[in-house]
Amino acid sequence: MPTSTNLTIPFLIVLANMIPLGALGALAPTPPLLPTPPMGFNNWARFMCDLNETLFTQTADAMSANGLLAAGYNWINLDDCWMTKTRAPNGSLQWNSTLFPHGIPWLGEYVKAQGFRFGIYEDAGNLTCGGYPGSLDHELQDAQTFASWGVEYLKLDGCNVFPAGTEGRITLQDEYKHLYGLWHDILTGLDQPLIFSESAPAYFAHNPSLSDWYTVMSWVPEYGDLARHSTDILVYAGNGSAWASVMENYEFNTRLARYQRPGYFNDPDFLIADHPGLSLDEKRSQFALWASFGAPLIISAYVPDLTTDELAYLLHRGLIEIDQDGMAQQATLARRDGSVDVLTRSLEGGDRVVTVLNRGDEVVRRKVSVEWLGLERDCVYEAVRVWDGTEVEVQEFVEVELAAHATEVYRLRLPEDCKDVIPTGMVFNTASGKCLTGSEHGRVSIESCKGEESQGWQVHASGQLRLLAQLDRCLSSDGKSLLLEPCRDASHQRWSYGMSGNLRNVKTGRCLTEGTGVDKCGVELDRQVFGLPSGVQVQDKE
Ligand code: GLA
């Protein structure tokens, strides 16, 4: 994609000449508070309000003994219902001393002595979702209380938030932005800033239009370190299909890849490792998908009773390594058909991850060509089938056979002369889920995703989008419609992609639009927000 590099480099050189070298250090960006996604435990999906001190001490002891702590699961986080229904006379929050007889600071010390870190839950509104005192109008006091208790991570929920109706806080979104912004300022101003998990987007994910959801997502990465962006994963005692719940949160996460970066992570919610409604294949799929996303790995299960199989997958080194990769690139959908999804991402050092999910109820076989993975056809790739560690050679295509709801992950090493990756895959509307489709006759439309090469696009650094089915054909626009034309070096065949999710034609300045092809660019309109393959340069200001 066209970048601002030509503008930035001379500017930096001028700047460097003006500033004494020693002072340049002051310009170095501060390292993120959370360079890689958090891993740990939270009680909510497994126990909801049925929590107490023993649950947390037992869980920490079990995690120390069974290898989870050593594998990186180092957060012990309390969720809702830890407090009393009223504040103390001085206004401060109080823990429920029947449930936590030694107190929250003691519990924090207990887990930290084993090498864990310690997190807590509150709500930005006037009550938590469970009906306990929310932090509205007590923000600073509550933050200071948490800090004094040794809390290092705050999950800030957003139940019971209402627009103040003043100071520009007219819509619900304004209010969330105000409150989460306030918390951001308070938390980052503390001597030891807390990790800030924001639940604000979850309150917009189910609106008939996703516009407000996208808008909330646009400020969330500025204010915090991770965000619970959508539905709650099914709790242990919940009704309904646990697999459908995993798939729903997976689906929401696929729409948000462009926001993720080191220091900010999309959170599709807990790993429900002992959920009675999931088969082992389904649990392993959730884990493999979350790891491919580089998502938080927060277990909500009764850890002391995890089975050998459950522990084995949670401890899988190869997948944890992918999850914790320093590039924090989220795997994106490259190809989707009626039952199979293929996701791709790159890792630090250049390895390529290919994740294949069988959403369907039957065994499936697929051969996915290396072009779909953004790789070159004439190369031989050494690969590891991550789950079982088998080494395989990949030439021309990756071949998989998957049981119902199972997921396979491949990690490909790129040989020295085959290191180039062209971001490749589907371009899909993240509201309708439909795919940009080119036809032999030069027509371009937005259709259901079928995984055909007429729906695979190479996104070149020049800003060209070339169709996999006809690599000499480029997505073009004359300002009125979309066309597939023989590629040439012309600005009406170049597109830029922004944080807004808009795909904008460089020549006409108009945006890809479901329904009309192209149109004037709006602000995060359902018909104009698209998901592109990972690795595409995203312009901050668009
Ligand atoms: C909301 C959150 C959950 C949990 C509960 C607690 O539903 O999304 O993760 O924190 O509140 O009441």
Side-chain angles (χ1 to χ4, degrees):
M1 303 258 84
T3 67
S4 55
T5 319
N6 296 345
L7 292 175
T8 339
I9 290 175
F11 174 73
L12 281 182
I13 293 170
V14 173
L15 201 68
N17 285 339
M18 284 167 17
I19 299 175
L21 260 187
L24 269 179
L27 291 177
T30 42
L33 210 51
L34 194 64
T36 59
M39 300 168 63
F41 168 80
N42 176 302
N43 59 287
W44 182 257
R46 178 63 172 83
F47 294 98
M48 298 173 81
C49 288
D50 188 14
L51 77 180
N52 60 39
E53 182 180 286
T54 315
L55 169 65
F56 291 94
T57 53
Q58 274 183 354
T59 297
D61 295 348
M63 290 170 78
S64 295
N66 66 16
L68 284 170
L69 172 62
Y73 294 89
N74 66 347
W75 285 101
I76 297 285
N77 293 350
L78 274 61
D79 211 284
D80 204 353
C81 311
W82 57 265
M83 54 181 120
T84 54
K85 288 260 165 143
T86 52
R87 289 176 176 266
N90 72 356
S92 73
L93 294 168
Q94 323 179 78
W95 60 80
N96 178 328
S97 56
T98 310
L99 300 179
F100 297 94
H102 293 93
I104 298 288
W106 176 89
L107 181 58
E109 284 306 314
Y110 183 94
V111 300
K112 285 181 199 175
Q114 297 187 29
F116 290 99
R117 304 188 68 194
F118 189 49
I120 213 161
Y121 166 100
E122 238 300 9
D123 190 285
N126 55 23
L127 288 173
T128 70
C129 301
Y132 291 83
S135 276
L136 188 71
D137 298 332
H138 292 270
E139 290 83 3
L140 182 60
Q141 182 179 23
D142 291 353
Q144 286 168 343
T145 301
F146 295 145
S148 75
W149 291 352
V151 169
E152 301 169 285
Y153 177 130
L154 173 64
K155 169 177 169 184
L156 188 69
D157 211 340
C159 267
N160 307 304
V161 171
F162 309 99
T166 55
E167 298 162 18
R169 290 145 61 188
I170 309 300
T171 65
L172 193 56
Q173 250 196 75
D174 298 333
E175 190 65 24
Y176 276 92
K177 187 170 186 192
H178 166 77
L179 291 175
Y180 281 78
L182 178 64
W183 272 99
H184 163 77
D185 294 345
I186 292 172
L187 294 178
T188 50
L190 295 172
D191 289 343
Q192 307 263 307
L194 268 59
I195 300 292
F196 186 20
S197 163
E198 308 165 271
S199 298
Y203 293 86
F204 298 86
H206 296 283
N207 292 355
S209 155
L210 292 182
S211 277
D212 287 353
W213 188 55
Y214 299 137
T215 306
V216 172
M217 280 307 306
S218 73
W219 51 257
V220 151
E222 260 175 69
Y223 290 164
D225 311 290
L226 65 156
R228 268 291 317 287
H229 50 66
S230 52
T231 323
D232 285 9
I233 202 104
L234 191 69
V235 295
Y236 191 80
N239 294 322
S241 155
W243 174 246
S245 165
V246 168
M247 284 294 92
E248 178 175 347
N249 286 25
Y250 158 78
E251 197 70 37
F252 272 112
N253 215 60
T254 62
R255 302 162 167 183
L256 301 176
R258 63 186 175 282
Y259 298 109
Q260 187 160 295
R261 54 173 162 73
Y264 169 75
F265 300 92
N266 294 320
D267 182 3
D269 213 4
F270 306 122
L271 297 172
I272 43 175
D274 62 357
H275 201 290
L278 292 181
S279 69
L280 185 61
D281 270 346
E282 292 170 340
K283 293 174 187 178
R284 284 159 56 95
S285 271
Q286 187 193 18
F287 187 69
L289 295 168
W290 268 226
S292 302
F293 284 143
L297 301 179
I298 311 281
I299 301 166
S300 199
Y302 185 51
V303 175
D305 281 356
L306 286 173
T307 65
T308 314
D309 285 342
E310 288 158 357
L311 260 183
Y313 83 75
L314 291 167
L315 289 167
H316 196 286
R317 260 211 245 144
L319 285 163
I320 292 177
E321 205 176 295
I322 289 171
D323 181 72
Q324 295 290 303
D325 182 75
M327 253 171 87
Q329 191 175 90
Q330 181 177 314
T332 51
L333 278 170
R335 182 187 175 282
R336 161 169 277 180
D337 61 34
S339 46
V340 172
D341 285 355
V342 179
L343 300 100
T344 54
R345 70 180 277 199
S346 290
L347 301 177
E348 247 174 4
D351 285 4
R352 195 87 178 132
V353 175
V354 181
T355 302
V356 190
L357 158 71
N358 178 6
R359 304 189 325 276
D361 299 331
E362 312 286 333
V363 176
V364 293
R365 278 173 210 86
R366 289 288 183 281
K367 271 168 132 185
V368 185
S369 76
V370 292
E371 283 96 337
W372 272 106
L373 314 176
L375 304 176
E376 290 168 56
R377 173 170 281 265
D378 298 329
C379 301
V380 179
Y381 300 93
E382 284 171 31
V384 177
R385 209 160 63 195
V386 179
W387 273 123
D388 63 9
T390 310
E391 304 207 350
V392 286
E393 241 181 33
V394 169
Q395 213 171 344
E396 289 187 40
F397 46 78
V398 168
E399 213 173 340
V400 284
E401 178 174 321
L402 287 168
H405 303 176
T407 298
E408 190 56 273
V409 181
Y410 285 84
R411 179 173 175 155
L412 275 63
R413 203 167 315 136
L414 311 191
E416 210 41 58
D417 47 353
C418 303
K419 287 235 176 280
D420 290 343
V421 175
I422 303 174
T424 302
M426 53 198 255
V427 171
F428 69 107
N429 180 304
T430 56
S432 72
K434 291 190 173 173
C435 276
L436 184 68
T437 310
S439 82
E440 274 172 27
H441 316 291
R443 271 197 59 233
V444 182
S445 52
I446 293 177
E447 314 276 341
S448 302
C449 304
K450 299 190 194 74
E452 288 163 5
E453 288 198 337
S454 58
Q455 296 183 329
W457 299 88
Q458 286 187 339
V459 186
H460 288 258
S462 64
Q464 280 182 341
L465 272 80
R466 290 173 180 252
L467 191 66
L468 267 191
Q470 293 167 273
L471 278 174
D472 57 347
R473 294 285 187 277
C474 278
L475 183 70
S476 314
S477 177
D478 54 9
K480 294 199 199 81
S481 56
L482 283 177
L483 310 158
L484 203 56
E485 284 183 344
C487 298
R488 58 195 167 90
D489 182 14
S491 60
H492 76 289
Q493 293 191 352
R494 287 201 289 273
W495 301 79
S496 67
Y497 184 53
M499 247 340 150
S500 63
N502 283 170
L503 194 63
R504 184 190 293 262
N505 186 276
V506 170
K507 170 139 188 231
T508 66
R510 288 161 74 82
C511 282
L512 178 66
T513 306
E514 181 166 352
T516 54
V518 281
D519 208 339
K520 187 166 169 284
C521 303
V523 181
E524 286 154 338
L525 303 177
D526 287 328
R527 57 185 187 277
Q528 291 185 332
V529 177
F530 288 84
L532 262 64
S534 60
V536 169
Q537 179 110 28
V538 186
Q539 314 286 319
D540 260 349
K541 297 287 168 218
E542 272 187 34

